[in-house]
Amino acid sequence: MNWENKLPQFPEPYWRDSVKLPSFSKLTEDKKVDVAIVGGGISGITAAYLLTKQGLNVALLEADKLLNGTTGHTTAKITAQHDIIYDELISHFGEEKARLYYEANYDALNFIKKTTRELHIDCDFIEEDAYVYTNSEEKLSKLQKEAAAYSRLSIAGGLVDSMPLDLEMKSAIVMKNQAQYHPLKFMKVLVDKITEAGGSIYEQTTATDVEPGNHPVVTTKDGHKVTCDYLIVGSHFPFYDKGFYFTRMYAERSYLLALKTKKSYPGGMYLSAETPKRSIRYTPFNGENLVIVAGEKHKTGHGTNTFQHYEHLAEFGDELFGIEEVVNRWSAQDLTTLDKIPYIGAMTKDNPNIFVATGYRKWGMTTGTAAGMLLCDIILQKQNPYEQLYTPSRFQADPSVKQFIAQNADVGGHFVAGKIGMVHKTVDELQPDEGAVVKVNGKRAGCYKDANGKLHIVDTTCTHLGCEVEWNDGERSWDCPCHGSRFSFSGEVMEGPAVEPLKKVHLD
Ligand SMILES: Cc1cc2nc3c(=O)[nH]c(=O)nc-3n(C[C@H](O)[C@H](O)[C@H](O)COP(=O)(O)OP(=O)(O)OC[C@H]3O[C@@H](n4cnc5c(N)ncnc54)[C@H](O)[C@@H]3O)c2cc1C
Ligand code: FES
């Protein structure tokens, strides 16, 4: 089937209009607080909620609208089953650290469950078993090793030969009693509690720099300063990077569809072991169930014809459930660290009062929650069992070095190749609602012709470290293949590490 005309024209998550989040004005003065937090995603909001609850004076700065980043575009499974990971963690870090990894995520799941009950949050929190299934012989042996790891770590679950979802598979591993929810409905209540407890929230307030010291000072794009005792950088990719994080993480995009289906959903949350990845769950929405199908990951800026990823997911969803309607399509990106464990803790050893929380490998509903809990404990000088596990200053030579070489080998290539790379079209050849790399005034430039025929031309040199951005036709954005920065068709920053927009180019 040709899906192109059956997919929504613009990407947006199914919940976009269903949760009315409060709006906050931008910061218009200098401030002094106990804790400044940059980033209104799951990490920043959870930390702000916990710290204001303890009576600390907190300012949360968000460049855009709260929850408009990856947290507002997630699948929202809440689980410690982070794909096949526990056997690998045991062999790289030992049984104790693997157990701590599981327990940190289990505690985060329980925190969300308990908070949902205590604050009476109506957020579609539903307990479900989580499955990773496979059709390949190679992954079968991995699943068997993973099951042995579950048993060593006393994780409830193990190998099964059937699942509630009728899907062709050789085997699957189940983790019992995991959960799913509506992250915006949950987070909205935390946001209300932050302001009730005296916390300040500022939107449209981009942090651009930090002066470290005993009292770090955050400078905003508008030139205002926030002085604090502690700073949490929860901006997804750290906007302030003193730890070479841009060399220690890589960004991947994935795609999602929300579907009305002919077949009803049998329950459970599913993930394929092999690639192309397929993640499946359902969600209650407007009195019926939607099925969410996600997957098709690729490194940011490396996808050519990104729209086709939606078509592949639609084919998969149709085969499995019979699609009545593709209600929404959207995509998002997340960051993976070299050893697959997030970086949560002091950004560098020299600055023990500046913290970072990032690198959740598409499992930030639990690890972003764990980050808020851990950073709150560190600031309150309470013991937390997971501090050493997540500390960004750890060094595990074996997996880190291999991953570094594999994931960053192409960065230098993009830097050089992009400058001399192919120009794909001329400005005159562009159709309405089409973008491409073109030549303008004799130089490489990026041009998007909008539906009204207006041209938006930008310099394709990324303002982070100078790689060349590529056009993303599925999202109408310019994406950087080096460290994952993204820019709107007119050049505004959508995702860091870049903080400055692409330069505008004018036709001579
Ligand atoms: C397709 C997909 C599916 C996923 N599914 C799941 C799932 O099922 N379960 C799960 O556990 N996890 C899942 N994840 C992962 C999870 O969504 C992310 O790990 C998590 O949302 C990241 O949260 P964050 O707070 O770090 O980032 P964000 O939510 O992106 O928040 C960072 C915020 O910082 C702001 N910001 C950036 N720079 C600045 C600046 N300079 N000044 C001020 N503000 C700034 C941004 O605007 C943004 O709002 C998925 C991820 C993807 C990509
Ligand atoms: S994101 Fe680093 S050069 Fe573009």
Side-chain angles (χ1 to χ4, degrees):
M1 185 177 309
N2 178 5
W3 287 100
E4 192 174 346
N5 299 325
K6 298 189 172 61
L7 296 172
Q9 196 184 357
F10 292 100
E12 59 177 5
Y14 72 90
W15 53 58
R16 180 51 69 218
D17 297 322
S18 65
V19 181
K20 187 112 189 74
L21 288 163
S23 288
F24 298 92
S25 54
K26 54 160 61 179
L27 180 69
T28 54
E29 58 183 1
D30 291 356
K31 270 194 92 77
K32 203 163 178 303
V33 289
D34 298 329
V35 186
I37 301 177
V38 176
I42 191 163
S43 335
I45 291 175
T46 309
Y49 165 70
L50 291 169
L51 289 162
T52 49
K53 199 174 164 195
Q54 295 299 320
L56 273 77
N57 183 8
V58 173
L60 176 63
L61 313 182
E62 165 54 47
D64 183 21
K65 295 270 306 158
L66 291 183
L67 295 164
N68 225 2
T70 306
T71 306
H73 294 77
T74 179
T75 323
K77 296 176 177 176
I78 316 168
T79 176
Q81 189 188 54
H82 295 178
D83 205 341
I84 303 174
I85 186 73
Y86 289 101
D87 177 56
E88 187 179 326
L89 289 179
I90 290 174
S91 42
H92 288 158
F93 302 103
E95 192 167 318
E96 192 193 332
K97 285 222 163 113
R99 178 170 290 108
L100 283 173
Y101 183 97
Y102 169 71
E103 287 172 357
N105 286 288
Y106 187 74
D107 284 359
L109 191 162
N110 276 333
F111 168 84
I112 296 173
K113 183 171 165 181
K114 192 164 141 261
T115 308
T116 301
R117 281 202 191 129
E118 275 175 12
L119 302 180
H120 308 289
I121 307 178
D122 178 9
C123 63
D124 308 329
F125 182 96
I126 304 165
E127 286 195 353
E128 291 285 353
D129 294 341
Y131 297 83
V132 179
Y133 65 89
T134 188
N135 273 304
S136 95
E137 285 301 330
E138 185 220 332
K139 296 288 180 186
L140 187 59
S141 79
K142 286 203 170 218
L143 280 194
Q144 283 159 350
K145 287 185 188 153
E146 188 74 350
Y150 276 29
S151 163
R152 280 172 74 177
L153 302 174
S154 310
I155 297 175
L159 284 183
V160 289
D161 50 22
S162 70
M163 310 187 294
L165 181 63
D166 184 15
L167 180 149
E168 205 181 314
M169 56 131 196
K170 283 197 192 326
S171 184
I173 188 164
V174 63
M175 192 179 281
K176 306 294 280 181
N177 305 323
Q178 305 301 292
Q180 58 180 42
Y181 72 158
H182 192 310
L184 267 61
K185 287 185 181 172
F186 179 84
M187 292 281 154
K188 180 192 175 302
V189 176
L190 299 199
V191 169
D192 293 342
K193 294 286 167 194
I194 293 167
T195 50
E196 277 169 36
S200 331
I201 300 180
Y202 302 96
E203 291 182 327
Q204 308 300 330
T205 301
T206 305
T208 51
D209 204 2
V210 177
E211 209 179 289
N214 288 341
H215 300 285
V217 182
V218 183
T219 310
T220 69
K221 205 172 183 174
D222 293 342
H224 298 295
K225 292 187 185 306
V226 181
T227 307
C228 55
D229 295 333
Y230 300 96
L231 166 64
I232 296 177
V233 177
S235 55
H236 202 222
F237 214 113
F239 78 96
Y240 168 75
D241 183 352
K242 284 294 163 212
F244 291 97
Y245 286 87
F246 69 88
T247 64
R248 299 162 66 195
M249 292 192 291
Y250 58 93
E252 281 180 335
R253 291 200 76 69
S254 301
Y255 299 79
L256 307 92
L257 298 179
L259 309 171
K260 282 187 189 172
T261 57
K262 292 179 187 143
K263 281 193 201 162
S264 58
Y265 195 85
M269 307 187 295
Y270 305 89
L271 184 71
S272 66
E274 51 267 32
T275 47
K277 279 276 170 211
R278 295 290 180 252
S279 170
I280 312 158
R281 79 165 179 101
Y282 77 101
T283 181
F285 187 67
N286 287 348
E288 58 186 330
N289 281 341
L290 297 180
V291 174
I292 300 178
V293 177
E296 293 280 311
K297 70 175 180 181
H298 62 79
K299 273 187 83 181
T300 302
H302 290 232
T304 48
N305 182 8
T306 56
F307 198 80
Q308 72 183 359
H309 297 297
Y310 293 110
E311 294 174 319
H312 295 161
L313 289 178
E315 279 158 25
F316 174 78
D318 195 40
E319 209 169 288
L320 208 51
F321 301 102
I323 294 179
E324 271 181 358
E325 184 191 342
V326 180
V327 182
N328 286 89
R329 71 168 175 97
W330 73 99
S331 78
Q333 74 190 36
D334 211 7
L335 303 159
T336 299
T337 67
L338 301 180
D339 59 12
K340 298 190 183 167
I341 297 181
Y343 299 131
I344 308 167
M347 181 172 275
T348 63
K349 282 187 176 154
D350 298 340
N351 295 296
N353 53 359
I354 301 180
F355 304 105
V356 66
T358 189
Y360 301 150
R361 198 172 54 92
K362 302 196 192 85
W363 298 109
M365 296 301 103
T366 51
T367 46
T369 304
M373 295 161 78
L374 170 58
L375 296 180
C376 179
D377 281 350
I378 296 176
I379 288 171
L380 297 174
Q381 298 182 356
K382 281 194 199 161
Q383 288 284 332
N384 184 300
Y386 311 120
E387 192 170 342
Q388 287 311 311
L389 173 75
Y390 287 126
T391 181
S393 62
R394 67 181 178 266
F395 180 64
Q396 297 285 339
D398 185 16
S400 299
V401 171
K402 271 200 219 143
Q403 281 283 353
F404 174 81
I405 292 165
Q407 295 301 339
N408 283 289
D410 57 348
V411 167
H414 280 290
F415 184 80
V416 178
K419 310 275 173 210
I420 49 173
M422 293 275 294
V423 165
H424 305 307
K425 286 205 163 174
T426 66
V427 172
D428 293 341
E429 282 169 346
L430 289 177
Q431 299 299 311
D433 196 20
E434 186 182 4
V437 174
V438 295
K439 209 167 232 184
V440 174
N441 311 334
K443 286 194 187 144
R444 188 185 201 266
C447 184
Y448 171 64
K449 186 189 259 187
D450 68 23
N452 300 320
K454 185 173 172 205
L455 298 177
H456 304 264
I457 311 177
V458 293
D459 183 337
T460 50
T461 303
C462 176
T463 55
H464 177 228
L465 290 177
C467 289
E468 294 294 302
V469 297
E470 292 293 339
W471 180 244
N472 172 342
D473 67 351
E475 323 300 314
R476 298 172 180 85
S477 60
W478 294 103
D479 297 357
C480 182
C482 287
H483 314 108
S485 289
R486 294 182 62 236
F487 304 86
S488 69
F489 60 76
S490 53
E492 299 308 316
V493 177
M494 296 168 74
E495 309 225 15
V499 288
E500 295 296 330
L502 295 176
K503 282 191 198 132
K504 304 252 186 227
V505 173
H506 302 284
L507 286 169
D508 280 345

